[in-house]
Amino acid sequence: MNTHLNIPDRSSSRRARAALAGLVALLASSLMIVTANPAQAAYTQIEGSGSTWSQGIVSQWIADVDANGMKITYNGAGSSQGRKDFASNVTDFGITEIPYQGKDEYGAVDTAGGREFAYMPIVAGGTAFTYQVLVGGKPVKDLRLSGDTIAKIFTNQITNWNDPAITKDNNGRKLPSLTIVPVVRSDGSGTTAQFTAWLDKQFPSIWQPYFGKSGLTSYYPKKPGTKTISAAGSDQVMNTISSKQGNGSIGYVEYSYPVNKKYPVVKVLNKAGYFVEPTQYNVAVALTKAQINTDASSQAYLTSILDGVYTSTDPRAYPLSSYSYMLLPTGAKDQRMTTSKRQTLTDFMFYSLCQGQSKAGPYGYSPLPLNLVQAGFDQLKKLSVADPAVDFKDRDVTKCNNPTFVAGDLSKNKLAEIAPQPPACDKVGAGPCGLETGKAPTTPEAAKNGKPTDGTAAPVASAPSGAAPAAVDPETGVAAPTTADTTDTSQAAVAVPTELVAGRAGDTKVFGALAALELLAIILAPGVGAVYFKRRARRRQGAWS
C-alpha cells in the first residue's frame, strides 16, 4: 500500500479556474459596456395615477416594458385624483380625460398648482354602456338605445326595462317588467365628465333640470329615493353590474371593461340613424370630427372639442368617442424629475404611442391617429428640452409602428378608411341584427359580422349586410347558431399576446452582442468546468490510492 500522499498538480487546476474567471470577467466587462452608454441615462422607477378609463391599456403597456428594465407604477384612482396628485407633486405623471377646470363643481381649486406640464394624447376609446338584463335566465346581448332614452334612464325618468321608449329603440322587441338600476361613479371621474358633457351638449332639457345647472361634472349627482347605485372606479361599476345581484343594472365605463369581462354593451343611436357599438373602427371614424386645440402657446393645447363627434352623420360613428391625456411634467426645475426619470418616461411613451397602440383595438380601445401621435411626440420632446441629457434620438413618427398610419400621408387614418358600414339591420326601423356585442372585433369583416378577433367567431350567426338574420331569439335578440357555425368560442381570448417592447436605437445590436456572449458562456463554461472537475477527481483518487 502506498503510504505517502500524492500532491496534485495545482497548476492545471489554477489554469482551469483562471479560464473560468477570465470568461466571467469578459461577460462582466461586456455587460458594463452595454449598460454604461453615456448617451443614455439609466432607468429609474416612475409613478403615476389617475384615469380608470385608460387603466386597462396603460397597465398592459407597463407590463410590456418591464422586460426592458422600465419600472412604472400606476394607481387608477380616477381622473380627479390623478390631477390632484400631479398638482401636489405626489406623482411623476397623471392621466385624465378632462383638463384642469380651474375650479371643480364644489368650488375647490382644480389647477396644476404652478407645476409646469403639457397635455399629451395617449389613447382613444369609447364610453360604453354595459348592462345585465336576463330573460328566462338568458342574458340579452343585442340591446339598442337612443341617446334620448339613455339620458332619461340616468336621470330616473325611465325606470323599467319594459318602457315603450326602449321597446321602440329595439324595433318592437319588448323586454319584461324589470326595474332599471343605474350604476354611476361615486368618485371624481373622467368617464363621468365625458358622459355628462355629452348629456349637457346633446340633451340639455333632460340633463340640466336633473343636474340643477348647465355643464359637465366629474361627480355624478345621485338623487335620494332612487334605485341608482354609486361605485368607486370603473372596475367596481363593472363588478356591480356583472354580479349575481346585477340583473336590471346598467352603467357607463370605457369599452375595455365589458370586453375584458365578456359582457354586452348597448348599441347607441348615432345621427345617421344607425345603432353602433364603440369598436376601434367606429371610434376612429367618429374622432375624425374632433376639433383639437392647435395653439401651442395655450395651456389647453391638444385638448379636444367633441361637438362634431357627437353630431357626426357618418353611419359608422360612435357618438361617445374621445381620448385621454397624460399630464407630462415639462419644467426644467420640476422637483420630482431627474434625467433618469425623464428618460424612463420618454421611452415608455415612445413604446405606448407607437407599438403599444397596436394592442388598443383588441383591448377595447382605439389607436391614436397619426396627427395625435405626432402632436404627442411634440409634447414628449419637451422632456429633452427641459433636460438636454435626455436622449431623444430616433424618437419620431417615422420609427412608429401604429395601426392607424398610412405610409406617406399624414392626413389619413387607416382604421377610419377601412371601417365597415353597419349592417342594414342596425338601422332605425330594422332588425335587431342578433349580433353579440362587447367582442372587440379586430378586422373590418369581424366588426361587420359580430366576430371578436382574427380567426375566431362569436357563437352567433353572422348578419347579412342587407337584412336581419332569419332566426333571432325573440327574448335575447341574439341569432341562433347556424349549422356552419358550431365552434365553441365561449373561452375565446380577446387580448393579443404580449409583444417585445420597441427598443432604443442600437438596442438590437447591444442585446444581440450580449446574447452572443451568453451563448459563448453556455458553450464554453461546461467544457472548462468539466475538464477542471474531472482532473480534480482523478488527482483525489490518486492521492488516496
Side-chain angles (χ1 to χ4, degrees):
M1 180 175 127
N2 192 350
T3 58
H4 70 279
L5 295 177
N6 289 327
I7 306 299
D9 181 4
R10 298 183 183 274
S11 61
S12 296
S13 62
R14 281 197 295 268
R15 285 195 297 271
R17 286 197 297 271
L20 281 171
L23 183 58
V24 171
L26 174 62
L27 289 171
S29 61
S30 300
L31 184 58
M32 289 175 65
I33 292 171
V34 168
T35 57
N37 180 3
Q40 177 186 338
Y43 292 139
T44 299
Q45 179 170 305
I46 54 175
E47 301 172 353
S49 69
S51 166
T52 60
W53 189 90
S54 307
Q55 187 173 9
I57 192 66
V58 171
S59 296
Q60 180 59 50
W61 292 338
I62 289 173
D64 290 350
V65 302
D66 184 77
N68 271 33
M70 285 180 259
K71 306 298 180 183
I72 299 105
T73 63
Y74 182 75
N75 178 22
S79 290
S80 295
Q81 189 61 48
R83 295 196 304 279
K84 291 176 183 177
D85 289 345
F86 184 82
S88 301
N89 289 291
V90 173
T91 54
D92 302 307
F93 66 90
I95 298 179
T96 180
E97 277 71 65
I98 57 172
Y100 284 110
Q101 301 293 294
K103 289 186 177 181
D104 67 15
E105 297 85 340
Y106 301 105
V109 174
D110 183 24
T111 69
R115 190 177 185 185
E116 294 180 57
F117 76 98
Y119 294 112
M120 187 177 75
I122 58 168
V123 68
T127 299
F129 301 94
T130 188
Y131 61 93
Q132 182 183 165
V133 177
L134 302 178
V135 179
K138 295 183 292 184
V140 173
K141 296 183 179 181
D142 190 25
L143 182 67
R144 314 188 313 187
L145 296 176
S146 65
D148 184 84
T149 301
I150 291 171
K152 289 178 179 177
I153 286 174
F154 283 91
T155 56
N156 307 123
Q157 296 182 42
I158 292 178
T159 59
N160 197 291
W161 286 106
N162 68 358
D163 191 279
I166 297 176
T167 303
K168 181 181 177 182
D169 289 344
N170 291 277
N171 198 27
R173 174 163 57 101
K174 185 176 181 179
L175 296 175
S177 177
L178 177 65
T179 299
I180 295 176
V181 181
V183 183
V184 302
R185 290 283 290 274
S186 62
D187 54 328
S189 160
T191 316
T192 297
Q194 290 175 331
F195 177 37
T196 58
W198 175 70
L199 290 173
D200 185 64
K201 291 285 187 179
Q202 295 300 299
F203 308 99
S205 63
I206 299 173
W207 166 248
Q208 292 175 9
Y210 177 84
F211 185 36
K213 56 184 177 180
S214 62
L216 60 80
T217 178
S218 298
Y219 299 88
Y220 199 92
K222 177 182 172 183
K223 300 298 183 181
T226 66
K227 296 291 184 180
T228 301
I229 296 175
S230 298
S234 295
D235 54 347
Q236 291 305 311
V237 170
M238 190 70 244
N239 290 340
T240 299
I241 293 169
S242 61
S243 69
K244 291 182 178 180
Q245 295 76 35
N247 189 22
S249 61
I250 182 172
Y252 56 89
V253 290
E254 205 284 327
Y255 184 51
S256 63
Y257 285 86
V259 165
N260 182 62
K261 202 79 171 181
K262 297 182 174 63
Y263 245 70
V265 299
V266 170
K267 288 183 178 178
V268 178
L269 183 64
N270 63 24
K271 294 297 182 181
Y274 284 87
F275 293 93
V276 297
E277 68 174 298
T279 66
Q280 59 175 326
Y281 301 101
N282 295 336
V283 169
V285 169
L287 288 179
T288 62
K289 299 299 182 182
Q291 292 182 322
I292 302 168
N293 185 327
T294 56
D295 181 1
S297 64
S298 169
Q299 192 179 48
Y301 177 54
L302 297 186
T303 60
S304 59
I305 302 170
L306 301 175
D307 300 57
V309 174
Y310 303 153
T311 59
S312 174
T313 56
D314 191 303
R316 303 166 295 176
Y318 184 74
L320 281 89
S321 299
S322 56
Y323 59 89
S324 59
Y325 320 106
M326 173 176 280
L327 301 173
L328 194 70
T330 58
K333 298 181 179 180
D334 191 293
Q335 68 183 56
R336 284 192 61 92
M337 300 308 290
T338 62
T339 299
S340 56
K341 279 192 173 185
R342 291 187 180 99
Q343 191 69 64
T344 305
L345 189 53
T346 294
D347 287 3
F348 173 50
M349 290 317 300
F350 175 74
Y351 172 77
S352 301
L353 289 172
C354 297
Q355 186 177 345
Q357 295 290 319
S358 67
K359 297 189 175 184
Y363 277 93
Y365 296 87
S366 184
L368 286 176
L370 191 144
N371 64 319
L372 288 180
V373 174
Q374 178 64 73
F377 277 128
D378 292 342
Q379 298 289 64
L380 193 60
K381 193 172 184 178
K382 292 179 180 178
L383 294 179
S384 63
V385 173
D387 184 350
V390 173
D391 182 9
F392 202 76
K393 292 179 182 178
D394 297 307
R395 293 300 182 253
D396 59 69
V397 294
T398 63
K399 305 296 190 300
C400 238
N401 179 21
N402 181 301
T404 70
F405 293 10
V406 175
D409 190 343
L410 304 188
S411 66
K412 292 185 177 180
N413 183 325
K414 182 179 179 180
L415 284 185
E417 289 186 350
I418 65 175
Q421 294 292 329
C425 50
D426 265 333
K427 191 173 184 178
V428 170
C433 288
L435 302 176
E436 283 194 47
T437 54
K439 293 291 185 178
T442 58
T443 65
E445 182 181 7
K448 187 173 183 178
N449 295 331
K451 296 180 180 180
T453 54
D454 294 340
T456 308
V460 294
S462 300
S465 59
V472 175
D473 189 317
E475 295 177 334
T476 65
V478 174
T482 64
T483 55
D485 184 15
T486 57
T487 304
D488 178 10
T489 59
S490 60
Q491 302 301 317
V494 174
V496 295
T498 299
E499 301 169 9
L500 293 177
V501 66
R504 296 184 54 79
D507 278 356
T508 53
K509 294 179 181 179
V510 166
F511 287 106
L514 184 57
L517 289 169
E518 290 176 346
L519 180 61
L520 184 63
I522 292 171
I523 294 172
L524 294 181
V528 173
V531 169
Y532 166 67
F533 289 113
K534 187 174 182 179
R535 288 179 177 177
R536 184 176 180 182
R538 286 176 178 173
R539 291 188 180 95
R540 282 184 176 178
Q541 183 178 4
W544 292 101
S545 60

